[in-house]
Amino acid sequence: MGRYPLKPLVVLGATGSIGMQTLEVAERVGASIHAIAANRASQSLHDLAVEYPEAIVCVASPGEARERFEAEFGNRVRFGPEAFVVVAATPGSVVVNGVVGAAGLRPSLAALGAGNRLALANKESLVSGGPLMLDALASGGGELIPVDSEHSAIWQCLVGESSDDVKRLILTASGGPFRGMSAEELASVTIAEALDHPTWSMGPRITTDSATLMNKAFEVIEAHYLFGVEYDDIDVVVHPESVVHSFVEFVDGVVKAEIGPPDMRKPLQYAITGPTRVPAGHTPFDPIATTLTFEAPDRAAFPCLDLGYEAGRIGGTATAVLNAADEIAVEAFLAGRIRFVDIAGVVDDVLGRHTAVRPRTVEDVEAADAEARVHASEVCAALMR
Ligand code: MG
């Protein structure tokens, strides 16, 4: 410690997988915790509030536990979604945004607007609010550092490089549990099969999105906003081992990649301490025991990938619609109401009905999102008949 200036952390989504791994990384690198925030006043948030007695505790929807939290933690507890926005704007902090869903956008904008470093794991911030995020980054003078393994890999490959020298980004995709299956075979896959991801352990929505390749589509859109690269210059390659986290090809033909055993704590740590590297005691990389294979994604069997490119090229609110429609379709699939292969059809239908605009405010994004949810629910209901 002391080799680098470590700012206090604001951990949004503290009780989720990203949040818990952030606290682990913070412990290891010696970062202090300024605030922890979670959607519900769960027992795990309570335990964290006890474990971090100096931290501000934010609860978006406290429900019946409100009084208990107030009685126990006094004036260091804050309630409501606005509390996330306020702590994200704490000057001189690093904000790790591991919020799940559209609720992550406002705190992301607040962090960037306050000139903070934003370690971004909330996908909706860039997929739904990309143009707003770039505005906030430019006006607030903060830093936007990706936490997702693919984008962290590209980020690290670009350290010391000029963006003018980038020819192409190649995002790797594990291919999910249904890699190699035909559209026909996919017609009868079950919910349990979709939730059985080969390499990463994540929540049900993102695991289903990995199975449809929609998650990769979202990552293509995020890469476009993060690195200012056009969609024609972003490729996806299926790499089942998830060891190469992504590639950058430069104009002189040189290709860089970031490689290692999959472990979210590495990109998380880099987003917090980078460009300083801190010893971490991770699983060592063993090239002899590692086999790397690559194949082209099956765009016909997994049409969500191209739907992402399509929405990305339309731009503006189209990608917010892509995300909202997908969320409703995935919910319907996980509830057993539509088939796995119907997810892409629902998203395609909803996207086709939307007239995209460039969002000026969060309300513009929310309006597109809300409209898409209504349309998607209608399409799902029609499929059930
Ligand atoms: Mg990823």
Side-chain angles (χ1 to χ4, degrees):
M1 269 215 312
R3 291 197 303 126
Y4 51 97
L6 258 185
K7 293 176 177 170
L9 301 189
V10 170
V11 187
L12 309 178
T15 53
S17 153
I18 292 289
M20 296 305 273
Q21 291 182 84
T22 299
L23 295 171
E24 203 183 311
V25 168
E27 177 77 31
R28 181 193 294 150
V29 302
S32 66
I33 306 300
H34 174 68
I36 48 175
N39 186 30
R40 290 180 306 110
S42 62
Q43 187 59 42
S44 16
L45 183 63
H46 178 275
D47 294 347
L48 290 178
V50 172
E51 194 179 336
Y52 297 94
E54 308 290 313
I56 293 171
V57 180
C58 304
V59 193
S61 323
E64 288 171 359
R66 184 179 179 122
E67 279 175 24
R68 181 169 76 108
F69 267 63
E70 238 162 7
E72 208 162 333
F73 305 118
N75 61 8
R76 72 185 174 102
V77 63
R78 318 272 156 85
F79 299 108
E82 187 55 28
F84 284 49
V85 172
V86 173
V87 289
T90 309
S93 56
V94 171
V95 178
V96 180
N97 189 349
V99 168
V100 175
L105 176 57
R106 285 176 191 268
S108 281
L109 293 172
L112 293 176
N116 286 330
R117 173 180 287 203
L118 173 63
L120 184 65
N122 170 260
K123 166 183 68 190
E124 284 78 3
S125 293
L126 283 170
V127 172
S128 300
L132 302 179
M133 290 285 286
L134 295 189
D135 290 349
L137 182 62
S139 65
E143 289 176 285
L144 173 55
I145 320 267
V147 166
D148 209 353
S149 60
E150 294 81 357
H151 305 101
S152 177
I154 294 169
W155 185 277
Q156 294 183 61
C157 289
L158 290 176
V159 170
E161 304 286 356
S162 159
S163 58
D164 294 342
D165 294 337
V166 174
K167 180 157 188 270
R168 183 166 62 128
L169 307 179
I170 306 168
L171 294 170
T172 52
S174 72
F178 303 142
R179 182 175 61 87
M181 286 175 72
S182 67
E184 248 163 46
E185 291 168 316
L186 288 171
S188 57
V189 298
T190 65
I191 298 165
E193 285 166 343
L195 293 181
D196 186 21
H197 194 275
T199 44
W200 299 98
S201 163
M202 307 167 293
R205 160 99 196 274
I206 185 171
T207 306
T208 309
D209 284 339
S210 297
T212 60
L213 294 194
M214 184 60 97
N215 183 57
K216 206 50 56 178
F218 291 148
E219 290 181 359
V220 167
I221 295 162
E222 290 180 278
H224 165 77
Y225 285 117
L226 278 167
F227 306 112
V229 173
E230 291 309 319
Y231 288 98
D232 286 348
D233 301 325
I234 306 174
D235 282 343
V236 171
V237 65
V238 173
H239 168 46
E241 296 86 4
S242 301
V243 169
V244 177
H245 301 131
S246 280
F247 302 91
V248 179
E249 182 183 357
F250 294 92
V251 288
D252 58 359
V254 167
V255 179
K256 283 189 183 178
E258 187 267 312
I259 301 177
D263 183 341
M264 276 312 294
R265 290 170 299 182
K266 285 187 288 183
L268 257 172
Q269 179 171 319
Y270 191 85
I272 293 167
T273 71
T276 304
R277 296 200 182 271
V278 183
H282 286 296
T283 316
F285 174 54
D286 179 3
I288 313 266
T290 306
T291 304
L292 303 179
T293 57
F294 302 95
E295 62 195 45
D298 184 342
R299 306 184 102 97
F302 299 94
C304 285
L305 181 58
D306 281 336
L307 285 173
Y309 276 91
E310 187 190 328
R313 287 188 172 105
I314 297 168
T317 47
T319 52
V321 165
L322 178 84
N323 171 67
D326 176 68
E327 190 171 325
I328 295 296
V330 169
E331 250 175 49
F333 165 66
L334 292 175
R337 289 170 19 229
I338 65 171
R339 295 174 309 158
F340 180 80
V341 287
D342 292 331
I343 295 173
V346 172
V347 174
D348 193 14
D349 201 334
V350 175
L351 204 53
R353 289 206 236 172
H354 179 69
T355 306
V357 295
R358 193 220 188 266
R360 302 281 161 199
T361 62
V362 179
E363 286 75 19
D364 292 344
V365 173
E366 287 170 349
D369 177 290
E371 177 198 284
R373 281 168 202 271
V374 171
H375 285 168
S377 301
E378 288 167 9
V379 180
C380 289
L383 279 170
M384 287 164 62
R385 272 182 225 124

